[in-house]
Amino acid sequence: MKIRAAILHEIGAAPPYASTQPLKIETLDLDAPGESEILVQIKAAGLCHSDLSVISGDRPRPAPMALGHEAAGIVVETGAGVHDLEVGDHVVLVFVPSCGGCVPCAEGRPALCEPGAQSNLAGELLNGGRRLHLNGSEVHHHLGVSAFADHAVVSRRSAIKIDKTLPFVEAALFGCAVITGAGAVFNTARVKAGSSVAVIGLGGVGLNALIAAHAAGARAIIAVDLRDDKLAFARELGATQIFNARNPDCADEIRNATRGGVDYAFEMAGSLPALELAWTITRRGGETVTAGLPHPDKRLSIPPVQLVGEERTLKGSYLGSCVPLRDIPVYIELYRAGRLPVNKLMSGLAPLDEINGAFDRLAAGETIRQIITF
Ligand SMILES: NC(=O)c1ccc[n+]([C@@H]2O[C@H](COP(=O)([O-])OP(=O)(O)OC[C@H]3O[C@@H](n4cnc5c(N)ncnc54)[C@H](O)[C@@H]3O)[C@@H](O)[C@H]2O)c1
Ligand SMILES: [Zn+2]
Ligand SMILES: [Zn+2]
């Protein structure tokens, strides 16, 4: 079938993207779903910094690529062997397909699925190969999803069925921002009630971590960003103290305010200085968790003697260490109970044709989650 999709032909275009137009809206040929695949009509797709990092070159991927990895839609066709989803089902798409049969999958860590990671890196679907074609040439899939498009063929193992009464624009957020941010708190760190938390980087991912820390019963929630408007908003969402990282004394001030640092510091900015700050403001015996994805050439330098002598922990968090089949329905339930107000993190809707300008706003830090609707 013919679809309209946002295609990145070259990595590393200079901003402003509204002028350089790195994403072109093109008409592509999309194959029918193969074995254990589904065709999804995309209804809403969020803009995540990880898409922006592919555009800028901070997260190198093969081009041309159809971007977009945070989305929700309706199943309109099922491929051979798909018996547990029906046409008309509503799904959230997940940016790591999990095969169910590799060692990490067997250990209950589908975010680390090995075939899933390989197909994502190659810009293919889990079964191998690409279903997208532009003028006869293959186009790469982004994280098995490629959702800045009116339709997508994805692996069955990239989709989680959800309740049909949840609006698509809200559902989309659960595919990346919510599971990454809330999952880092609930799964990676397992934040204890009564503990102290810092969140550095208050975008879609960081603010989800912040509201999850609030839901988990953290007694102190320190919010850190470079922008005062984000800090003021974090206060409304439950931050107990706010600090601007542009202040050179920020680390000392946080350590003083928390009597030596927080139990858990979350780096959610995707920047090395933010990770260094997270490490510095973690208390003796505390945990530093990072979900940020800076350029692969970046290196963190920490003194091993501090790691040992202070029994510190440094943890990476991918897909919020989630089991999407278990966690997405639970986080939706928390949302509906008013305990995870993810709807407050939406910064407006945009049509596909305005996607380049929307990425300018994300790059400027002006927005949290903008949603493309179809
Ligand atoms: N680990 C995962 O599974 C996963 C999933 C999604 C996104 N990510 C990554 O998480 C990061 C955040 O994504 P997002 O979509 O929320 O981004 P975003 O652009 O919406 O938010 C980033 C925020 O960090 C702030 N910031 C930047 N540098 C800072 C610094 N030095 N100190 C304090 N704040 C700073 C910005 O002002 C902005 O508010 C990105 O690196 C993204 O690639 C990881
Ligand atoms: Zn994302
Ligand atoms: Zn697997």
Side-chain angles (χ1 to χ4, degrees):
M1 69 181 289
K2 298 278 183 200
I3 63 163
R4 282 181 85 238
I7 307 301
L8 180 71
H9 288 278
E10 257 176 74
I11 311 283
Y17 300 133
S19 317
T20 54
Q21 299 274 315
L23 293 173
K24 304 264 184 295
I25 310 305
E26 317 241 33
T27 301
L28 276 75
D29 293 298
L30 177 65
D31 295 344
E35 172 140 10
S36 64
E37 293 173 354
I38 56 174
L39 173 65
V40 179
Q41 181 187 7
I42 305 293
K43 301 296 286 183
L47 270 66
C48 171
H49 204 107
S50 299
D51 299 299
L52 181 60
S53 296
V54 178
I55 297 171
S56 71
D58 275 347
R59 197 141 168 77
R61 295 277 163 181
M65 179 170 268
L67 290 192
H69 65 276
E70 177 184 272
I74 307 174
V75 177
V76 290
E77 193 181 332
T78 55
V82 178
H83 303 299
D84 55 351
L85 277 181
E86 288 174 10
V87 170
D89 281 346
H90 292 193
V91 288
V92 165
L93 301 181
V94 175
F95 66 86
V96 182
S98 54
C99 75
C102 70
V103 171
C105 280
E107 287 176 334
R109 303 181 78 181
L112 304 183
C113 175
E114 286 161 2
Q118 278 164 15
S119 61
N120 276 0
L121 201 62
E124 298 184 340
L125 294 190
L126 187 63
N127 279 354
R130 305 179 185 97
R131 314 287 174 266
L132 295 161
H133 313 271
L134 179 62
N135 305 324
S137 304
E138 284 188 353
V139 171
H140 297 82
H141 297 261
H142 188 208
L143 301 173
V145 175
S146 290
F148 297 144
D150 49 54
H151 289 78
V153 166
V154 303
S155 166
R156 161 70 189 91
R157 295 179 174 278
S158 296
I160 303 293
K161 184 174 164 178
I162 54 157
D163 187 330
K164 285 187 184 171
T165 60
L166 185 68
F168 290 110
V169 290
E170 294 165 19
L173 298 181
F174 288 83
C176 179
V178 180
I179 49 173
T180 303
V185 167
F186 294 141
N187 297 321
T188 314
R190 295 173 190 264
V191 165
K192 292 193 195 86
S195 55
S196 58
V197 168
V199 179
I200 302 165
L202 306 173
V205 174
L207 287 172
N208 271 291
L210 190 145
I211 59 179
H214 190 64
R219 77 173 191 285
I221 303 178
I222 313 290
V224 186
D225 202 282
L226 302 171
R227 291 181 60 107
D228 289 332
D229 54 347
K230 291 267 179 78
L231 292 169
F233 187 52
R235 241 199 219 290
E236 288 174 32
L237 293 171
T240 53
Q241 281 169 293
I242 54 175
F243 294 87
N244 193 315
R246 289 192 195 278
N247 172 1
D249 299 327
C250 176
D252 287 342
E253 287 180 8
I254 296 173
R255 288 180 61 84
N256 288 337
T258 55
R259 289 186 309 253
V262 292
D263 298 322
Y264 307 93
F266 292 89
E267 187 281 320
M268 306 306 217
S271 110
L272 192 58
L275 181 53
E276 287 163 346
L277 177 63
W279 174 263
T280 307
I281 63 167
T282 303
R283 73 162 172 82
R284 293 165 65 83
E287 246 178 57
T288 311
V289 175
T290 176
L293 294 164
H295 191 281
D297 290 346
K298 297 286 183 197
R299 293 291 177 275
L300 173 69
S301 162
I302 53 169
V305 68
Q306 192 181 24
L307 185 70
V308 173
E310 297 185 4
E311 291 204 348
R312 298 275 289 274
T313 304
L314 175 61
K315 273 189 186 174
S317 179
Y318 198 57
L319 197 84
S321 315
C322 279
V323 177
L325 187 62
R326 174 195 67 187
D327 294 332
I328 288 181
V330 169
Y331 298 171
I332 289 174
E333 220 174 294
L334 285 173
Y335 165 54
R336 290 187 141 161
R339 296 173 64 191
L340 216 51
V342 308
N343 58 324
K344 292 187 182 163
L345 309 184
M346 298 194 308
S347 330
L349 310 178
L352 188 59
D353 297 300
E354 289 170 22
I355 194 164
N356 287 294
F359 273 113
D360 283 325
R361 291 191 288 277
L362 177 62
E366 288 166 14
T367 56
I368 304 170
R369 266 322 196 239
Q370 303 172 89
I371 317 276
I372 305 289
T373 51
F374 299 87

